[in-house]
Every structure is written in structure tokens, then in C-alpha cells.
Amino acid sequence: MGLHEKTKSFFNNRWLVFVASMWVQSCSGLGYLFGSISPVIKKSMGYNQRQIAMLGVAKDIGDAIGFIPGSLCEIAPIWVVLFIGAVQNFVGYGLVWLTTTHTLPELPLWVLCVCIFVGTNGETYFNTGALVSGVQNFPKNRGPVVGILKGFAGLSGAILTQVYTIFNFPDQSSIIFLVAVGPTIVILSVMFMVRPVGGHRQVRESDDTSFVFLYSVCLILAAYLLGILILQDLIVLNQITVTLLTVGLLILVLLPIAIPVFLVFFSENLPEERLLLNEDEKKDGNEMIMSEMEDEKTSEVDLLSAYERQKRISHLQARLVQAAADGAVRVKRRKKGPRRGEDFTLMQALVKADFLLMFFSLVLASGSGLTIIDNLGQMCQSLGYENPHIFVSMISIWNFLGRVGGGYVSEVIVRKYAYPRPVAMGVVQVVMAGSLFYYAIGAPGAIYIVSVVIGLCYGAHWAIFPSTASELFGLKSFGALYNCLALASPTGSLIFSGVIASGIYDYEAKKQMTINHRIFQDNEELTCYGTICYSITCGILSALCVIAVALSVTVVYRTKGVYAQLYGTSRT
């Protein structure tokens, strides 16, 4: 291949699309930066904590509602979805920045809520575009792809915060400026790369090695970020050291581009029609391919040369992978609608028991995890820790590892054993229930256990359920299905955190004031001390996670046959 052909092949390589999607996702977790943005808004605008809480609600709603990008992916190119998200991000947070710097006249609180909603809602466009292109280009590796992409979304807050430190801005409001401008520049730079490129025709035997390389980069990135956080907490770093550490972080983020560069420019380039399945898939599909050959066999087939016969087999293999990419399960279609494994619309999925079971399982388990994450700072304060941001950073890093690991483990489950992917979700929820119960009984070191385990398990949910939805309900409406299921987590948190956790916390705080013979004033901020502040809440959340396990097990039982048909021949 000449340089022109290689360059064209490079820009149509599914690994380049995947890497570009990773960069998109590294800007898709702006909601995690609200803890850094809200104090700036509070100080600049003179807001009280209740007003800041209203902005937080607007942020959560904006981060949860993604029906528009989900539906848009079905009728418009991915770059259109990403562009709209970039515009929303720039306009929403740009107006917040102009307001906090008093460049614009002071806006009413409700207007700022709208701005926060619009800006944060841009994330849903980034998430949807990256995930839809990812699962379509890697239909046989959905678990790892979703896990890695969602992992980078979880790390985005830490990455942007570290980038902010190298500019040494004179005022704190500049972090809002970075949130408005930084992701917009990144998205506009790569939005034309993120698209379906017929990835099912680009399967290589080296794909496993490429995923191992990506997992290694993810682990190194997580360890590097954790090391930076610990170092910055222990000693005061000068600006040069901070800049060098941030440059090292950016190099790690950019490092995955080496995969498509190597595959296109430094490895043997096979014609597209001869990019065969990996060894396992070739062996597993051999009988089906030979059957297809027999069905189409004519007297001329026996006269074909060895090369032509191999070309015919390669063509049939590509057709089989395309069928798998479309979620095909060879069953007769009923008049009442598609079967599991075929393409569902959102409305068709909403009336299916499997979809509803998954949704409520996520409400209970993922909602419980988000409740702990939202209240972790307050939990640390109640236990007497002066630096809760260390635990907040820890849970972010483990959240990232949970997303990456959840995708990998769930893929092993379906590939090696042909078990339904929700098995992994059930196991994760059992572990969550155990860690929450450990805190509820006031066991020693419980805050460390909760920070690690909840981070891992909450993150794992975000790798497992999108892959499961794409397998059971197809890829055609995946964007809409994903965004509908994503509503489960904030729905649960709204109830568990806004009603249960806060109600019990205030009750225990007032009880402690009564014991100390103090009278509570209406405008006084309540403060609770001790394990009791959240032990009852954790006990309730633990019980809810057990119910979630039962729902996940029900999904496993109902979908055993589907996964046996999809992956049964892949057992080793």
C-alpha cells in the first residue's frame, strides 16, 4: 500500500475511532467537577447552601436526560450529535463564567440553573456519540469497549483539574472558563473521527493484544493519577513540577494513538475482505461457514482455485460477523414484535420485563452507589476526617478501575462460559451490599472499605448494563436505550439521598443537640458526628442492593437461552 492508501486506511481504522472516542469521553464527566465549581459560584454570587443545592439538582437533571441525543443518533451522523453537545457545553458554562466574573449583569438563580442544565446536558451528547460508535465498530468486544470508554468519562474530572493547575490562573473562576472552553476544543477537533466505519470487517488476530495494551495504559493512568494526588497532598509542589506531572498525564492519555498508527503503518496490511476473524471465532464458526458453502454450492465451486475459495469463505465470515453485529439470533420473528437479541425501539423495550427488571435493579443498586458518592464528604466529616477530598479522589480512581474491570470481567463471563452478562451485575451488587452492611455495623476502617468497594462496584455498573442492553435489545436504538437506563442512577439517588440519607442525618443531628441541651434554630446548619449519622442509611441501602441482586438474577434466568445462542459456540 502507498502512503495515500495507508493514510486513507488510517482515518477509516476502527481503532482510531475508538481512541478518538476515548478522548471525547475524557471530557464527558464535567458533572464530577461540580464540587470544584460550586464554591466559586457560592463566593462570587453570595449564594447560601440551599441555592447551591438547587444548582446541583439542575446539574444532575442535565446529566441524566439524554433522550434527544439518543434519538438523534438514529437519524443523524455522530459528528452532529457531538457538535450540538459542544455548543451546549460552551454556551451553558460560558454564561456561568461570564456571570461569576461579573462581565454580565447578575443573572437570577433560575437562569443560572438553566445554564448549568444546558452545559451539563452536553455530556449526554458526548457519551452517546462515543458509546454508539464504539459498540457498532466493536460488536464482538462490547464489554471492554464500553468499560474503557466509561472509565475515561469517570476520570475526566481528575484530568481537567490537573490540566487547570498548569495554567496558574489568577482567580478561581477560571476553572469554569476551562470547563467551558477545554472540552469544546477537544470535541471540535475529533468529532469527524468518531463514527461507524464498518468495524466488523476489521477484525484482526492482534485485537486481543491491542486491548491488553489499552488495559495496561488504563492501569498506569489510574496509578499515576493516584500518585499525583497523594504527592500534592503530602508536599507543596512548585509550578515546574506540576507542569511536568501534567505533561506526563497528557502523554498517557494520548498514548493509545500508537495502536492505529502501528496497525496501519508498521504491520502487514491485508486487503479488507481478508481481515478474518480471530482464531477462536474461525474455529467456532467453521461448521456454520461450511454449511453456508454447502447451501450455496454449485458445480462451479469445486472448480475454484484455492485463493478464490478462501476469498469466498472470507466473504461469508464477514457476513456472519455482520449478523452478530446486528445482534442476530436465528429465531423466527413473531408478529407481535422483535425477540431478544434483535433490534428494539425504545417503546418496544419499555414494555419488556427484562428491560424493566434491569432498570429497577439499577435504581436500587446504582442509585445506592451514587448516594454514597454524593454524601462521602459528609460521611468523612461525621467521622472526624479533616481532609475528605482524599477519599473523594480515591473513590473516583476506583470508579475508573471498576468501569474498566467490569467490562473485562463481564466479557470473560459471556465469552468463556456463555453465561448471561447480568451475572456480573448480580455479583457486583452482592459485594456492594456486603460493604454497606460492613459500614452499618460500625466495623473498623469501614470508610476505607466503602470508598474502594463502592467506587469499584458503582463503576462496574456503567460498563455492564450498556453492553447488556445492546445484546438483548440490539444496536439500532442503542443510544435511546442507554440514556433511558442511565436515568435509573439519579432516580435512585434522588430518593435515597434526598429523602432517606438527609432525613436520617438531620434526625440524628437534632437528637445529638437535644442530648447536649441545645435548642435548634431554623436557620442553623445541622451537623452530625459519629458512625450513627450514616449507619442506618447504609443498612437500608444494603437491603436495597440485596433486592437488586434478586432482580438481576431474574434477568439472568430469563436470558440464559439468548446468551447461549449468541455466545454458546464461543466456549473454549
Side-chain angles (χ1 to χ4, degrees), residues 6-185:
K6 286 188 175 182
T7 302
K8 182 178 179 181
S9 177
F10 177 74
F11 283 104
N12 288 296
N13 188 279
R14 66 174 183 165
W15 285 100
L16 176 66
V17 176
F18 186 30
V19 172
S21 299
M22 291 164 58
W23 295 338
V24 168
Q25 287 296 86
S26 68
C27 302
S28 299
L30 302 179
Y32 296 110
L33 279 172
F34 186 74
S36 300
I37 293 174
S38 56
V40 178
I41 299 175
K42 183 177 182 180
K43 181 179 179 181
S44 176
M45 305 299 292
Y47 287 162
N48 57 36
Q49 193 60 38
R50 180 168 297 180
Q51 291 170 311
I52 291 297
M54 291 178 65
L55 292 176
V57 171
K59 181 265 298 182
D60 290 337
I61 296 174
D63 197 21
I65 298 178
F67 292 112
I68 295 177
S71 301
L72 197 59
C73 278
E74 298 182 39
I75 59 175
I78 298 295
W79 70 265
V80 173
V81 176
L82 296 178
F83 178 75
I84 294 174
V87 171
Q88 284 196 200
N89 175 80
F90 181 75
V91 172
Y93 281 107
L95 288 174
V96 173
W97 175 69
L98 291 173
T99 303
T100 54
T101 57
H102 304 291
T103 304
L104 291 178
E106 184 172 326
L107 299 176
L109 177 62
W110 71 267
V111 176
L112 276 186
C113 286
V114 172
C115 292
I116 291 286
F117 168 84
V118 170
T120 309
N121 189 246
E123 293 180 28
T124 63
Y125 291 80
F126 304 158
N127 268 306
T128 303
L131 288 176
V132 167
S133 65
V135 296
Q136 289 184 357
N137 287 325
F138 291 85
K140 304 296 287 183
N141 305 97
R142 303 180 195 191
V145 167
V146 171
I148 291 171
L149 290 178
K150 293 301 296 182
F152 270 84
L155 272 188
S156 60
I159 293 172
L160 287 174
T161 299
Q162 192 60 36
V163 170
Y164 171 75
T165 61
I166 69 174
F167 291 102
N168 197 21
F169 288 114
D171 60 284
Q172 291 182 331
S173 63
S174 298
I175 192 170
I176 306 176
F177 173 80
L178 180 65
V179 169
V181 174
T184 303
I185 293 174

Side-chain angles (χ1 to χ4, degrees), residues 187-199:
I187 300 303
L188 293 179
S189 300
V190 303
M191 65 182 185
F192 291 110
M193 298 181 188
V194 181
R195 68 205 191 282
V197 290

Side-chain angles (χ1 to χ4, degrees), residues 458-484:
Y458 176 77
H461 278 84
W462 288 96
I464 298 169
F465 85 78
S467 303
T468 304
S470 71
E471 289 163 335
L472 296 181
F473 305 106
L475 294 174
K476 184 178 180 181
S477 301
F478 173 71
L481 295 168
Y482 162 76
N483 282 292
C484 182

Side-chain angles (χ1 to χ4, degrees), residues 281-298:
E281 289 171 323
K282 281 194 285 186
K283 288 186 292 185
D284 297 334
N286 188 58
E287 291 184 7
M288 295 181 68
I289 293 167
M290 290 302 107
S291 175
E292 293 274 2
M293 287 288 290
E294 289 299 322
D295 291 341
E296 298 187 7
K297 187 173 180 180
T298 66

